[in-house]
């Protein structure tokens, strides 16, 4: 079954297993033929799972005593006692009603937050590209066979160099900004490769680095919106830390599950290469 681009509602239904077999297979085939969209849907799933992991424990928390008492007594209070306890002034009554409505709205919002739709996730992520960097890191770092689209760590030195040049040209063209393959070997991390990713306003990219102990860090690159100015900052997303910055025409976030001082050294190495307008030479590995 051939199909045009599925809308976000169809992609959401596919992700949640709500489509019939024929449509589900057609969407799966379309995503296989469009890896950028498939990556975007995988990020939706990662966002959803991260939110569930964070907020599901709230369902097991006891209700606040005041709310529990209000619910329990709401159906039982009758007669003079109930009238005596009720607010007599119109403003007091309005305030009580507003308080109950607000409580209900907060509870409803919290419960709705358990299962956000992909469309809501996509909307919420706009303007929060450091979080996108963290999600992309969490999605691809555990991959063993396919951590990157373009692998520069295999083959002869000549093959590796050719792959590095191809990766830099490809990402530069797709992101419409100069993409540098940072040289982080002085900090013990060698380039594994990179991939193209979706962002809220267009494509982004991820470069992956690995040290001799198998630890990985990623560099998330994007072209920020016009006028974006972000100083060099640190942010924590669960167990992941990141340093990120944006300048006119260039946004970068270095992400990893490392102590802050180690991430800082890596981020500064990359930052200095950008600031000095250095395009590092291809990171050629010695033949084994």
């Amino acid at each position: 079954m051939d199909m045009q681009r599925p809308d976000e509602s169809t992609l959401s239904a596919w992700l949640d297993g709500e489509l019939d077999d024929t449509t589900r297979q057609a969407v799966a085939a379309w995503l296989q033929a469009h890896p950028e969209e498939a990556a975007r849907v995988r990020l939706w799933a990662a966002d959803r799972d991260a939110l569930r992991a964070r907020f599901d424990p709230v369902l097991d928390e006891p209700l606040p005593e005041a709310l529990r008492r209000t619910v329990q007594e709401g159906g039982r209070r009758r007669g003079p006692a109930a009238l005596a306890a009720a607010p007599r002034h119109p403003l007091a009554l309005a305030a009580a009603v507003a308080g109950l409505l607000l409580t209900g709205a907060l509870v409803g919002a919290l419960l709705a937050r358990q299962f956000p739709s992909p469309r809501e996730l996509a909307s919420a992520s706009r303007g929060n590209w450091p979080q996108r960097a963290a999600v992309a890191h969490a999605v691809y770092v555990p991959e063993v066979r396919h951590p990157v689209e373009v692998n520069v760590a295999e083959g002869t030195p000549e093959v590796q160099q050719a792959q590095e040049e191809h990766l830099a040209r490809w990402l530069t063209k797709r992101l419409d900004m100069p993409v540098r393959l940072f040289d982080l070997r002085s900090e013990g991390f060698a380039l594994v490769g990179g991939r193209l990713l979706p962002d809220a306003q267009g494509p982004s990219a991820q470069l992956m680095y690995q040290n001799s102990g198998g630890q990985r860090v990623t560099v998330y690159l994007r072209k920020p919106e016009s006028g974006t100015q972000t100083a060099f900052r640190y942010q924590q997303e669960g167990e992941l830390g990141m340093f990120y910055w944006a300048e006119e025409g260039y946004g970068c976030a270095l992400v990893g599950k490392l102590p802050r001082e180690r991430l800082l050294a890596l981020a500064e190495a990359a930052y200095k290469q950008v600031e000095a307008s250095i395009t590092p030479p291809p990171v050629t590995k010695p033949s084994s």
Side-chain angles (χ1 to χ4, degrees):
M1 173 182 176
D2 294 331
M3 70 182 306
Q4 296 179 339
R5 184 191 186 283
D7 59 24
E8 290 191 345
S9 295
T10 303
L11 291 173
S12 172
W14 177 85
L15 191 62
D16 293 334
E18 298 173 350
L19 299 176
D20 60 78
D21 288 344
T22 301
T23 307
R24 176 179 55 79
Q25 292 173 11
V27 172
W30 187 89
L31 288 171
Q32 187 174 5
H34 297 80
E36 292 179 35
E37 293 295 325
R40 185 163 69 101
V41 173
R42 285 197 297 271
L43 290 177
W44 287 351
D47 281 350
R48 178 198 61 194
D49 293 342
L51 286 171
R52 283 176 172 171
R54 176 168 295 183
F55 290 107
D56 274 353
V58 176
L59 295 175
D60 297 325
E61 293 180 1
L63 284 174
E65 180 60 27
L67 178 59
R68 185 190 63 78
R69 188 167 54 250
T70 298
V71 173
Q72 288 180 337
E73 295 177 354
R76 295 202 303 265
R77 301 183 70 174
R78 297 289 187 271
L83 292 174
R88 296 178 180 274
H89 194 281
L91 290 179
L93 178 60
V97 172
L100 288 174
L101 290 175
L102 178 60
T103 300
L106 289 174
V107 171
L110 180 60
L111 292 176
R113 195 63 174 153
Q114 306 299 314
F115 305 103
S117 69
R119 182 175 298 178
E120 292 169 335
L121 289 171
S123 175
S125 68
R126 292 188 180 96
N128 192 8
W129 62 273
Q131 183 182 17
R132 305 298 299 177
V135 170
H137 179 96
V139 169
Y140 292 110
V141 159
E143 287 286 337
V144 176
R145 296 185 62 185
H146 305 289
V148 293
E149 283 183 275
V150 178
N151 194 313
V152 305
E154 297 178 347
T156 66
E158 292 76 16
V159 169
Q160 293 174 18
Q161 181 172 345
Q163 286 293 85
E164 289 164 4
E165 293 172 352
H166 161 67
L167 177 61
R169 287 195 303 268
W170 175 51
L171 295 180
T172 293
K173 181 178 180 180
R174 295 305 305 271
L175 270 63
D176 191 26
M177 71 177 206
V179 171
R180 298 166 173 83
L181 306 184
F182 302 113
D183 187 348
L184 303 180
R185 290 174 296 173
S186 63
E187 298 299 327
F189 282 81
L191 181 64
V192 176
R195 67 167 61 245
L196 191 66
L197 292 172
D199 203 304
Q201 304 298 326
S204 59
Q206 182 189 71
L207 303 177
M208 187 176 294
Y209 296 81
Q210 182 171 307
N211 66 10
S212 59
Q215 292 178 303
R216 289 173 170 175
V217 298
T218 57
V219 176
Y220 189 86
L221 303 170
R222 70 187 294 271
K223 187 176 184 179
E225 292 77 16
S226 178
T228 298
Q229 294 291 333
T230 302
F232 197 74
R233 294 181 180 177
Y234 178 77
Q235 182 171 317
Q236 192 80 22
E237 290 284 345
E239 295 182 343
L240 295 178
M242 77 177 76
F243 282 93
Y244 66 97
W245 66 95
E247 300 175 7
E248 194 65 40
Y250 200 93
C252 185
L254 188 139
V255 189
K257 193 183 295 186
L258 294 174
R260 178 169 176 165
E261 58 273 14
R262 287 291 294 124
L263 282 178
L264 176 60
L266 288 161
E268 286 182 335
Y271 183 76
K272 289 175 182 177
Q273 291 175 30
V274 175
E275 286 295 287
S277 298
I278 296 174
T279 301
V283 185
T284 304
K285 291 82 178 172
S287 58
S288 55

